[in-house]
């Protein structure tokens, strides 16, 4: 991580982070795509795992979900090794395990499978050593796919939209992280809260920022991701914002966030 190249470099630690919030449209995928890209630009090896049947992280890198020869579904349901499933992205140092539409049925298909909550956790060691960061893009639900993401992760990052009802459902999210912690993954913790879609023109946005900071304290990253049109346009070009418009405010925010996330990791490793 940031110790790379230093003569005092510690052994590098691979960190798996699930980006989760059961609300849709809060910036999970945007965060995974752009945080991942920014971490790769810092020189780290990044794997994005697209756990959302919608496949927005996959298409956000310009990868055609239907053309991919494998997806995370094959690992979860058919037990294929992850080592065979990752494909390159246009970003140097960043690879992705795509989603597939079949993932939409995985909840049902896994229902009767042994250790259904730990399928991803059991598969991940096959590939972990190849990466410094594994970022898991979770679907907007608290179903079995998300539980697999949480059970496989070291920590959770949670995007919160600076808008009405931002805090709604957060209690449920925290309870669920607690449940996974108690039953599946004792070391799981909330690593960081990311404030997204901040619109400086509204008073409400500042209220949400204050409330979230008051509640979560130092867990909230300093970086606040602004609401910008460029960020919303980038996915339709299949490009991370850092490629689409590298000098935009959104690109800067995600670069700053990557620095913060990276610093946290060094602290923990040291
Ligand atoms: P989720 O994965 O939580 O459902 P997304 O990351 O897909 O959320 O974001 C939802 C929509 O909002 C997408 O169309 C995305 O392009 C857009 N979006 C995300 N973050 C921002 C932002 N900071 N400013 C403007 N639009 C954004
Ligand atoms: Mg998404």
């Amino acid at each position: 991580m940031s110790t790379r190249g230093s003569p005092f470099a510690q052994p590098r630690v691979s960190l798996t982070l699930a980006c989760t919030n059961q609300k849709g449209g809060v910036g999970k995928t945007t965060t995974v795509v752009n945080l991942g890209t920014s971490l790769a630009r810092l020189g780290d090896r990044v794997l994005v795992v697209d756990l959302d049947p919608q496949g927005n992280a996959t298409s956000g890198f310009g990868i055609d979900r239907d053309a991919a020869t494998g997806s995370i579904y094959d690992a979860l349901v058919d037990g294929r090794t992850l080592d065979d499933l990752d494909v390159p992205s246009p970003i140097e140092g960043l690879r992705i395990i795509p989603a597939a539409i079949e993932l939409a049925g995985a909840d049902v298909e896994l229902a009767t499978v042994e250790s259904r909550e730990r399928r991803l956790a059991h598969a991940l060691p096959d590939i972990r050593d190849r990466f410094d960061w594994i970022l898991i893009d979770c679907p907007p639900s608290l179903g079995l796919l998300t539980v697999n993401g949480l059970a496989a992760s070291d920590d959770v990052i949670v995007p919160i939209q600076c808008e009405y009802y931002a805090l709604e459902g957060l209690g449920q999210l925290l309870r669920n992280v607690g449940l996974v912690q108690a039953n599946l993954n004792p070391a799981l913790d909330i690593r960081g809260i990311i404030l997204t879609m901040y619109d400086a023109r509204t008073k409400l946005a500042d209220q949400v920022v204050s409330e979230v900071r008051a509640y979560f304290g130092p867990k909230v990253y300093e970086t606040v991701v602004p609401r910008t049109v460029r960020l919303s346009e980038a996915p339709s070009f299949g490009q991370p914002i850092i490629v689409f418009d590298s000098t935009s405010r959104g690109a800067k925010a995600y670069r700053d966030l990557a620095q913060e996330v990276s610093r946290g990791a060094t602290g923990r490793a040291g």
Side-chain angles (χ1 to χ4, degrees), residues 26-36 38-39 159 194-197 223-226 231 241-242 248-260:
V26 298
K28 288 182 291 296
T29 300
T30 304
T31 295
V32 165
V33 167
N34 294 300
L35 174 62
S38 301
L39 288 168
I194 302 153
L195 292 160
T196 64
M197 302 191 203
T223 307
V224 175
V225 180
L231 267 172
I241 189 70
I242 283 89
S248 63
R249 288 187 301 139
K252 178 177 186 311
Y254 277 108
R255 271 196 297 267
D256 290 348
L257 182 67
Q259 295 279 2
E260 270 194 77

Side-chain angles (χ1 to χ4, degrees), residues 213-237:
R213 289 206 190 279
Y215 189 81
F216 289 101
K219 289 225 186 245
V220 187
Y221 292 111
E222 290 293 323
T223 307
V224 175
V225 180
R227 174 179 281 287
T228 76
V229 173
R230 298 301 269 166
L231 267 172
S232 65
E233 288 171 342
S236 54
F237 293 86

Side-chain angles (χ1 to χ4, degrees), residues 18-21 28-29 32 49-52 136-141 145-147 149-150:
C19 187
T20 190
N21 186 330
K28 288 182 291 296
T29 300
V32 165
V49 177
D50 190 352
L51 259 193
D52 187 344
I136 303 177
D137 190 23
C138 293
S141 76
L145 287 171
T146 295
V147 170
L150 297 182

Side-chain angles (χ1 to χ4, degrees), residues 5-229:
S6 142
F8 309 110
Q10 292 148 359
R12 286 204 275 160
V13 195
S14 161
L15 266 185
T16 304
L17 303 178
C19 187
T20 190
N21 186 330
Q22 76 273 21
K23 287 178 86 164
V26 298
K28 288 182 291 296
T29 300
T30 304
T31 295
V32 165
V33 167
N34 294 300
L35 174 62
T37 299
S38 301
L39 288 168
R41 285 281 167 92
L42 289 175
D44 286 345
R45 303 165 301 169
V46 180
L47 176 69
V48 166
V49 177
D50 190 352
L51 259 193
D52 187 344
Q54 306 245 348
N56 295 338
T58 305
S59 59
F61 285 106
I63 294 168
D64 182 1
R65 187 176 63 170
D66 301 320
T69 52
S71 78
I72 193 65
Y73 173 91
D74 301 309
L76 291 174
V77 176
D78 295 332
R80 264 179 78 181
T81 174
L82 294 183
D83 240 349
D84 290 344
L85 295 172
D86 62 301
V87 297
S89 80
I91 310 299
E92 196 190 333
L94 188 145
R95 299 180 68 85
I96 177 162
I97 300 185
I101 195 69
E102 295 82 55
L103 269 182
D107 260 39
V108 177
E109 286 180 74
L110 288 176
T112 56
V113 171
E114 202 188 329
S115 330
R116 57 192 172 158
E117 297 95 349
R118 294 190 211 263
R119 303 285 288 180
L120 187 58
H122 286 155
L124 218 54
D126 288 348
I127 202 168
R128 191 173 305 162
D129 290 351
R130 291 172 45 206
F131 296 97
D132 302 307
W133 300 94
I134 299 176
L135 303 181
I136 303 177
D137 190 23
C138 293
S141 76
L142 293 168
L144 206 43
L145 287 171
T146 295
V147 170
N148 263 275
L150 297 182
S153 293
D154 295 305
D155 278 329
V156 170
I157 51 174
V158 181
I160 296 180
Q161 220 180 348
C162 301
E163 305 215 329
Y164 274 119
Y165 307 122
L167 307 179
E168 193 189 66
L170 222 51
Q172 187 61 45
L173 176 68
L174 298 180
R175 273 193 295 281
N176 268 60
V177 171
L179 277 174
V180 172
Q181 202 177 44
N183 296 297
L184 295 164
N185 185 1
L188 188 71
D189 198 0
I190 298 207
R191 180 177 201 86
I193 308 281
I194 302 153
L195 292 160
T196 64
M197 302 191 203
Y198 173 82
D199 186 343
R201 292 167 303 183
T202 70
K203 256 196 181 150
L204 177 76
D206 285 317
Q207 275 167 22
V208 172
V209 170
S210 318
E211 267 180 61
V212 171
R213 289 206 190 279
Y215 189 81
F216 289 101
K219 289 225 186 245
V220 187
Y221 292 111
E222 290 293 323
T223 307
V224 175
V225 180
R227 174 179 281 287
T228 76
V229 173

